[in-house]
Structure formats: C-alpha cells, structure tokens
C-alpha cells in the first residue's frame, strides 16, 4: 500500500464523502490532477490558496488541514515507495523506464547535449483518449527542464 | 554503460560515420526517435522495411544487418538495465515514478477504474520546447492502452 | 504470513464460522475460487452482487462489508508479498517461473510473435485431478490475452 | 538475455536453419513445446530417443549433440535466470505469482490440505486460443503432483 | 528473534512452567523433537491427538489451544525467518548448504538421477552423541523422498 | 552452474571417461562421497594419499593433479555459491534450514545448552533407502561437534 | 539503534541511575566489559552469580532480573544488527574485516592450516592505550580457538 | 575467491617457489604478517625498502615488481570482497562484528566518549597460542586510534 | 521520512512554535546550522551549554531536554537513513558521491598520499549564494582531517 | 577498482609517464582538479580545447584521444561505481551523506524552501589546508544550483 500518514487518510476519507474527484479538485485549485493526488500522498506542498480550497471542498476545518500539512513539513518525496514497485500499474511505469531508459538517454543527449531532464523543474499530467473502436488510452506527459552539465 | 551487444556497437559506429541522427532516421523509417534508439539498444524489433532503410542510411550491408537482428531474436527488453539506474538522466525518470507513482495510480484508477496502463500496447516520444527565456524543456509522452482487470 | 488487513481477518473469521468454502462461494458468486480468495486477500474487487452474496453467505452486515472494501480502495495487488516467497507452496510457483521462464518466452514468441501474456486481461483457476493410483494432482490454468508490442 | 551456453547457441542456430519449430519438434519427440525449449535452454534432460530426433531434425551430428548434453551434466535449472525477471513476458508470470500467491495457497490448502504443488513431478504446456473478435489468448497449464507434508 | 506469534509465546511460557521438554513432549506425542518445536514456532500442524496431549501436558485449556492453531491456519513455513540467518547456530546449517550444496547435488544426481530431495515428504531428527573424550556431537538427520523430474 | 575452476573441469571430465563414480572413489580414498565431490568442487583439501588415488583412478598425471590443487590453495568454501540457491535440489536443503531453523535451535539449545553445531568439526554423508512400495528416499546425515559459548 | 528489548532498556536505565560502569561491573562479575555489554544487549547469557551481582549493583529485584533473562531464552546473537552496519564505530570494525579479510585468511591458513577461528570458543576485550603525545588508542583483542576442518 | 589481480598471482606463485612464508617476510620487511598479506592482496602499499626486500626474497625482478605496484596505484581496499563474506574463516570475523557490535560500541563510548576507532590509523597482528591441552588459539589484535567527533 | 524519535518530534514542534530557525540557533549555540539540525535528528551530541541555550530558546524545560538526550545515549549516526536515499535532495548528494567518487579519490590521493578524509574529525556548513541573474546556489563545505594509513 | 575503460587506462598511463599531475592539468585546462579526474574516469566531457591540451600534455596523439572520447559517447556517470562504496575514502563521503542527510535537508529547506541542490548545475573542488600543528585537512566544496519544485 502507499505510504499513508494520517493526513492522507483524512484527505481520502473526506474526499470519499463528497462528490469531489481529483478532476474536480484540479479545476478548483488550478493544479493538475496528479499534483492534487501528490498533495494527498505527501509528495507536494499546498499553497495558502490550495489549503483554503481543499478545506472548503473536502469540508475539513482549515486549521486542522493547515496543521496537518505543517506537521508533515517539507515533503520527503519517494520515501514511502517500495522499489521495484510491486503494484502492477506503478510497475508498468517502472518497466517503461527500464526498457527504454537507454533509448531515452540516447535521443535526449542527441537532442540537447550532455545533461538531464529535471524531475524538479517538472510538471506532469494524465489524459484519457478514446479511439474509434472504443479502446481507452492513458496519455501521461512528463515535462522537465533540460539541465546541461555545468563545466567546472 | 548500456547493455551493448555487437549489433548495438555496429549501429552506433555506423551512425557516427554518417550525418544521420535519431531524428533523421525517425523520418526515414516512420517511427519515433525513441523507437529508433530502442532498435539500436535491442528493445525493439525492425520490420522488413526498417531493415532496408537502416541498411541504406547507415551503409551496413543488408544481410549483415538482417542476420545481426536475427541473432538477437525476440527482444529481451530491460535485461541490460541495472536498477535502480545509476546514470543520472535515467535516474530522473525513475525518480518521477518513485515520487509520483501513487499519485498516478490514484488519478488513473479514478479516471479509468481498476486496471493498468499497458507498457506493451504503448508508444512514446520526446519533444524539445524552448521557452521565451531561452530555457529548454524536454517533453516525454507516454501513451498506453488502458487494460481493465478481467473479472473471473 | 500473507498481507492481512482487518477486512481479510474479518472475511476469514466469518468463513470459518460457516460451512462455506472457497468452492461454495465460487458457485454462489459465479467467480473462480482463486478470485474469491483474491477478494479475501485484497487482490480483487467485488461487484455489487459479490458484496451481497458475501454478506449473506458469511453473515457480515452488508454495510460493514461494503465500507471495508471501500476503505481498501483500488487493489494494490502484490504489495503484501515478500519476494522471493519463503512460503514453500508459493515458492514452487515462483520456481516454475524461474526454471521455465526462458522456455515459456521462446515458445510463446514463436507461437504469437513479439509480445507478452497479459496478467490483467487474465483469468486463472485450480482443479484437482486424481490418478488411478490415488495420487492427487493440482492443475493450475493461467489464461491471459496476448498483447503484441505496438509499433511506434 | 537468457543463460545461453554454447549448446543452447548450437541448438538455436540449427533450428533457425531448418523449418522446424518448437511445435514441430514437440510432435517429433512426443514432448510438450515448453519441454523442447527447456531442452534448448538447459532446463531439461533429453532421452536417448530425444537425442536421435533432435540430431536428425536439426542436422547436428549425433555425437556432437550427445557430448554437448553430457558436458552440461544434470540440469542446474533456474541458475541462469535473474530474479525478479526484467524481461516483460517473464515478469508477467512472476507478477501472477506475486499477486495471486496467497490466493492460490488458500484455495489449494482448502482443496488438498497441508502440502505443496510439486514443481518436479510436474508438467506444463502452452496453447493458443482465438476468440470470436480475433483476440488471441495464451493458456498456460501447470500440472503438479500434490505433496502432503509428512508427519514426523 | 524467531517469528513468534502469540500462540508461540503461549506455548513457550506454558512449557517453561512445567517440567516438560521437547524430548518429553516428543515421547508423549510420538513425534520427533524438531516437529514438536516446529509446532511451537508455527512450522507444523497438530493432529487432534497432538492437541489433546499438548493441552494436558502444558496445562493450556483445549479450546484455547485449538482456536490458537485454527487462527494460524495452514502453516506459512519459513515466512518468519530472515535469510541469510544472523543467528549463529542457524547460520552454521546455512553454511553447510552453501559450502557443500554442489557436492550434495553431484552425489545425489549420481545416486538417484535427475530430481530433488523432497523437503515436504520429509522428516528430520536430532541426536546427541558423546565421544570417549567427552566431546559432544549433534547428529542431524534429514530424510526426504526422492522426486525424479517427470518427463513431459 | 556451480563455481567450476579448471581443476573441477579436469576432474569431472576425467571421471566421466572412467567407470568411476563418487561411490567407487569413496571406497578408494576412504572418504565419504560428499567429501569426494567437495574435493572436485574445491570445498575440501586432498591428503597426499587422496592425490595418489585420484591420480591413478582418474588417470590424471600426479604432478598435474598436485599442482592443480596447489594453485587453488586453501579452500574458499562457499564462495562460488549464489544464495538463495536457484538450483532446485540445493534450494530444498536451504528451505529445510529456513523452515526448521528455529525449531533446530530450540531443540539443540535444550539438549546441549548455549552453543552451536560446528560446520568445521563436521562430517556428512548421503544414503539411499528404498521403501517397500519402491519409493526412494535420500538420507542426509550432518554430524557436527557441539561448541558451547565460552564464558568471558 | 541497537536491538533493544525491554530488558536492555531496564538494564541501561538502572545502570545510568547508579555510578556503575561496564568497567566496574566487569570487576564485580569477573567478566570482560564487552561481555557485560553483551549481557545488556542480549548477546550473552548470565550465570547465577552474574544475576546476583547485577541485581545488587543495579538495584533491580533479583526475580525481575531472572525472569527477564528467562523470557529472552537462549541468545539470538546478531539478530538485531543491520548489516552492513550504518553506525560509524561499528562500521569501522566491519571495514577492517572487509579490507583485511583475505589477508587474515592467508596468514591464518599458513600459521594453522585449513580451518577457522572460532567465534564461539571465543573471548574478546578492549583496552585503552595513551601514547606520549596524548593520543588515545583502542586495542581490541579477539581470541578464538582454532578449529581445523575434520577429514571425512 | 579473493580479488586476485595479476600481481597477486605473481606474488603468490613466487612465494610458493621459495621457502618464504608470511612470517619470514614479516621479519625481513619489519611489518606484521597481515600487512605482508595485505601487500599481496592489494590492501597495502609497499615502501621502497619493501620492494627491494620482496624482490630479493621472492626472486621477482625489481622493475617488474615496482611497475606491478605502480599499475595498481593507490589501494582500493575492500573492493574485491563480497559481503557478507561466504568464506567461513572470514565470516567468523564478520559474525564477531555482528554479534558484539553494539557491545563494543557501548564499552568504547563509555571508555572514550563520542567517537570511533580508526581503521586507518590502525595496525593489526595475529598470534598463535597453544594451551596445555594442546588446543590452538588464534589471537587477533586490532589497534586503532581513537577519533573523537569534532564539535562544529 | 527521517528517523524521528520522540525527542526529534519535541524539538521540531518546539522550534515551530517559536521564531527560531536553524540559523538563529546556530548563532546562539555557536555551532553550524547543520550541527544544530544534527542535534535535532540525533546525529550529534549537545554540550551542557547547548542544552541550556536550546532549553531557553525552544522553551523546553531543561530537565526534560537533558533527560531526552540522555535517553538517546551516544549517537547512532546513520542508523535511521535508508540507502540509497529516496528523498530527492539527499539523493543528489548521494549521486555526487557516486558520480565523482573515483575522481575525488584520485585527486585526494595525489594531493595527500594514501589515506582518507575523516568523517569524524570533520565539520560541514551550508551557505546560500545568489548570482547576478537572481539564481540561488547552495554551497556545501566538507572539511575533514586527512588520515594517512599507518604503516604496520 | 574504479570502472576503468581503455581510455582511462591510456590516460592514467600517459599521465604517469609525464610529470603532470591533476593539479598541473587543472591549470592547463582551466578546470578544477576533480573535473580533470572526472574526464579520466569517464564522468565528464572534454571541450575541443581540453582535448588539445590533454593531447599535448600527456603526449597522446590528438586523433587517438578524440576518437577515444567519441567512442565513450555521452558520459554514463555513476555506472561504474559499486554502492555502498567499499573503498574507504569514498565510503567516508558516503557516510557523511548518510549521517547528515536529514540535517542537510532540514537546513536547506529552511534556507531555500521546497527544492533540491542540483548535482548537474554543479561544481566541486578540493583544497588542502594545513593547521599550525601540521595536521592536514581536506576541504571539499560542493556548489549546486538551487532548484525549487515547480508548481503544477
């Protein structure tokens, strides 16, 4: 199971008692759905405005919500994730990195030179596409700043 | 270093002696750049037409190229990749999966129900975007078929 | 021990106080026995009808059962399983994959081409066979959709 | 890549120069296709008759074939397999064990009592099924003798 | 420390308050001492008669004992053991397997052919021998059914 | 595969060209069969007399044999063994240690006090037993000196 | 942190409320300081006399102390230690084994023949030495019985 | 086997063709035997004088010896050692660290305060002691400078 | 998350209720900010004066603070840190060691000879630098005593 | 040993035959010493000017040097480094990250907010300091751009 602290539990429970979805919260907060879920699971930090929207939408008293996030402090992203992931959906993403890792590196180095894609100056989102035959496809976009190695 | 068999070596050397890039080969073969690199590193299978284009473009005799791929047989994707990846660029992709894995799962499950994103019925590509301030961004798109768990 | 949350405990205890078996529940719900056990251990999702049948058969109040499954949310299959498995029965299945993995791959690639057997569009069941000498045999059938690699 | 000794290489190369498939060799030797592939990869032992059939079918001199197998000696099954498997097809089988391991155990213990499914007194085969919509399914059957724990 | 559930604790405490030893319980139940200890640590299943003898000998109410074992269910042997074992005595046994593993395999394959020694159709016992110089020796006997690989 | 240096290879090849077995060599050298195999695999040291018997029996020139063993030097037992063992026969022995490790410790501590069974002041042998129903059983005996912890 | 059971906690707390040190307890019990600390951390067994001295010195009622040690049972040495050790002082000892392991083996084999240094028939102590320049040195002595491999 | 580069091989072979032992070389070079072996295995650096003595004693041309050591460069101590060590003698030392690690730390912290024993400002030696009953004991002394944590 | 004992919790909570920062505490105690944080997380020891300043600044009763640190005892640095670190900031430091480890060693050996940089006789601090374009840079300084290997 | 490809070997050998040091090459190329060593070990990319200076200084034909670096391609930093590092000097750096990782994070988050120190937009250098008492200290400076998490 995901790394679930008591705030995650509070948020998930509150969300399940409203009609809100990650999608509707995304509209409300003006952040991507993955970022909303990341707020829930402790991999992102809320702004003051995020706190107010979440408090209203999920009917969690503002002070309780604020102090919950303060108690977490700065996110320790990744700490609660067992690797390699056993959960099948997450494993598929891991497998893509494993199978195409060198190919991504070769293409990106050719395109940009010696450097990396930032996972910090980074955003991501998820979309659903439906083909004519009714099949559904998930499109995950990763957008990261290119950081060239600094010469020293 | 990547898992490099003698065919990878042949392909990389041949490419370096021409003016071809993954981008130009992509146009030629009608496949995404990552797929071209995947052909090089042994994570994809060439079609008959791919073989002919590669042979001409990289000036590798067709028979040598064909027999090189035949000797590889069906791809053993992922086998040459040490995990967790130590190479910084590949690690950043791994880190994205680690940091946002549960968030992706939560959003995807909400959007599609109980299932996974296929890494097989799957395509990917890489684009460069340049912002007004000159900063460069890499946009990696992952597109996988949604596979719902079959009830049994 | 298996990854046992409080719902698993509730279900196992309830089952032990009735005369129900995985086999009888299988008949009742119209699902394979392994699927029934997977419901217990958190590796499958119940339908509305499954919930009603389980509630009646195991004498667990419907609301308690429903909320137990809701609290679990979408299954995190595999998360509670230590690998390599130490439990001898499970290890035997693991050993089969380890011993015959390359053989399965070779035969399946020859039969279907470049792709994989889905573990998601997938069903499985277990049968007992008794030979003339009284020896008992377990027959486990795995049936997965063949997914060819998509060209990109 | 699979654990490939020189005999595996010899066998695969010889097979690729004939029209034989694992399927046709299966008919010839009277063994399941997976067993034929297991002979190739060093996870099974040939009988005298297997040697003769393979020699003829694959046009490998009998003495060379026989001495190749003798040099291997008794199979060291599983030794060449990296676990967890990185190759996607083999991983799917591994994932099935990981996801449904406790469910299999629960059902089998109920059905047979305290014991295990043998991976030694064991056979397996693979079949292709095509549904009306043209989708293809792989059916893998595992059949192992039930071994009850001996009281002592 | 060993994997100790509450039943293990109950049994060990009860044993320490009587004059019973594994040896005396062995006589009483007609099982080897190692099997008695395995009952304590959750690696074996008691018969009806075992339960009655243990209840009387250890002065644990029969119903409490029976329900303790029922709650455990079918044994998950091995699950509580950290490997490699850090405990020195258990490590010595592990070391014997590590040092002489290939030698055992070579001798057993020569003696019996292609197969394994069952760890299920298996019994074991421990004896003390004292030499003339007063030195003490532990003799551990492992007796397992030989299982030849089934041809398929 | 086992850790096979060139001496192991020489010994195994030589043995296969004579009619000698581990059993017949055991008689000749006056050592247990497992010890003979351990000499082959580098887990034991030959005496002068062992060298002479092996040289004669396996038709390896004495000087070649002697210098082969000298080049190995003092045995590095265990170094060539991957743990956990993937080879099924060796795994069964490993599994016995894993399943019954705490039970052995409990019984041995009760029998001898605080200490360990030596794996150095140690001998082992393997016997075949055939039951009335024709079933074959392997009996492995481990005999190690009991070493009490020294008070300090 | 070290593997600290409630008895360790009791002993450490009691020691901190008296003026006793491992050194003074060493004098009192007639055991080396490391052995005293090993008693605290569960890696050694007290004699009857040890119990009495510890009870008096640390002002822990004798019965409480005795039952604390009885509840622990025979020591499971090493079980609470994470390896490789992260704690810097313990890591330095580990590093010495890692850096000089083969050198120790080479020298000891030359000196004693084929065998090992016992870690059971073993004692150890720690001394402080101060050099003329005021620098302090720790001298750790390990003394173990030499155990030659038994011929079999 | 130990991490043996070609210089180690040269040194060991040369030593075996003379009557020199680590002990006699120790006298010659004025270094402890373990240090001599460490020179062989690449865990120590020779002085100019060491080179000359080794060259003469082992009849290796000085220039060959000097260039062998130069090619190694500064020692990469520990790099060739698999941990946990599988070799039984080295494992016993590892086990001592594992079993008594916390006890050493407790005693040393009490004796010296907050700090560590240096493994760099460090020496070690090995001695043989024979007791009256003829039993042999190895005494390994570790002497390391105490390094207090610097306040910052 | 970091290894947080109850004292860490107390300190962090207390700090959050005052206006103190690591920076202001650094001024107060005369220790670097990293050392202050290390006190919080259990990787450093407070002096008497540190205790008094912390007590006053964070409004924690002196006795409670003192006894909290006493209960911790001598620091077990590193014990609460999962390696490789999953937290992205800490991973970047780890990556620097991984990427430039051999380069640091080569430069330091050339500069100082055969030895190591002490992590014990060691201090560190962190500074912020802002470039003309407004970009912020963190400068981490590591200063460790050079320890040459002692000849023995 | 470090991950040494044939270019590393060429560079190290060439350097040892001149009077050049990392320090003198640093002056020549205008890069930090660690960067020079990183060029040697494959963790940095040379500029055109670097190639020319290295060619002249180390007397390696320019074309050979250029083609050696081209064959390496874009650096795969970190790939040749075993983690945790066994080499003592590199381990000390690793230990600093392990011991003070959370402290660095706490201080940096307070100083800069939610983000990381870049290991890419990064430079480092090493200096020697000698104190009045003659003791030598290594000062390693890490300077990385602060990257705040991008809101999305």
């Amino acid at each position: 199971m995901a790394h679930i602290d008591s705030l995650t539990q509070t948020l998930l429970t509150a969300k399940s008692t409203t009609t809100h979805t990650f999608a509707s919260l995304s509209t409300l907060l003006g952040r991507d759905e993955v970022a909303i879920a990341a707020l829930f699971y402790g991999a992102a930090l809320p702004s003051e405005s995020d706190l107010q929207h979440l408090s209203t939408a999920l009917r969690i008293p503002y002070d309780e919500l604020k102090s919950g996030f303060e108690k977490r402090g700065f996110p320790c992203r990744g700490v609660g994730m067992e690797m390699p992931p056993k959960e099948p959906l997450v494993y598929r993403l891991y497998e893509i990195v494993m199978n195409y890792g060198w190919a991504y590196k070769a293409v990106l180095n050719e395109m940009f030179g010696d450097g990396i894609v930032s996972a910090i100056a980074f955003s991501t989102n998820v979309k659903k596409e439906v083909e004519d035959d009714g099949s559904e496809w998930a499109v995950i976009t990763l957008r990261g700043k290119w950081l060239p190695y600094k010469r020293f």
Side-chain angles (χ1 to χ4, degrees), chain A:
Chain A
M1 215 176 312
H3 179 65
I4 292 191
D5 62 17
S6 63
L7 179 54
T8 307
Q9 202 53 67
T10 300
L11 289 163
L12 289 174
T13 304
K15 170 166 168 286
S16 73
T17 63
T18 69
T19 57
H20 274 294
T21 59
F22 291 118
S24 67
L25 293 171
S26 167
T27 309
L28 209 60
L29 278 72
R31 303 187 67 165
D32 280 315
E33 291 171 65
V34 181
I36 305 297
L39 282 173
F40 276 50
Y41 286 101
L45 220 48
S47 68
E48 180 54 34
S49 147
D50 292 344
L51 283 176
Q52 288 170 355
H53 280 114
L54 284 175
S55 166
T56 308
L58 302 180
R59 297 182 206 134
I60 303 172
Y62 174 84
D63 287 350
E64 181 188 336
L65 198 62
K66 187 176 174 68
S67 101
F69 276 103
E70 277 173 2
K71 192 166 156 202
R72 264 189 190 167
F74 288 98
C76 288
R77 293 165 180 87
V79 172
M81 174 60 91
E82 183 185 23
M83 298 294 277
K86 291 177 174 169
E87 201 284 326
L89 187 152
V90 183
Y91 185 83
R92 295 308 180 275
L93 304 177
Y94 172 92
E95 191 178 64
I96 289 165
V97 173
M98 187 164 65
N99 289 1
Y100 299 103
W102 293 117
Y104 283 126
K105 176 174 164 60
V107 169
L108 288 163
N109 279 162
E110 183 184 283
M111 202 178 265
F112 292 93
D114 190 25
I116 60 137
V117 186
S118 182
I120 309 298
F122 166 81
S123 65
T124 182
N125 64 59
V126 175
K127 293 275 172 283
K128 182 196 279 198
E129 292 182 4
V130 184
E131 299 208 335
D132 291 349
D133 64 359
S135 65
E136 298 182 322
W137 295 72
V139 181
I140 300 175
T141 307
L142 315 173
R143 185 175 187 273
K145 192 173 186 175
W146 183 258
L147 300 182
Y149 279 94
K150 186 177 178 303
R151 179 181 167 91
F152 67 95

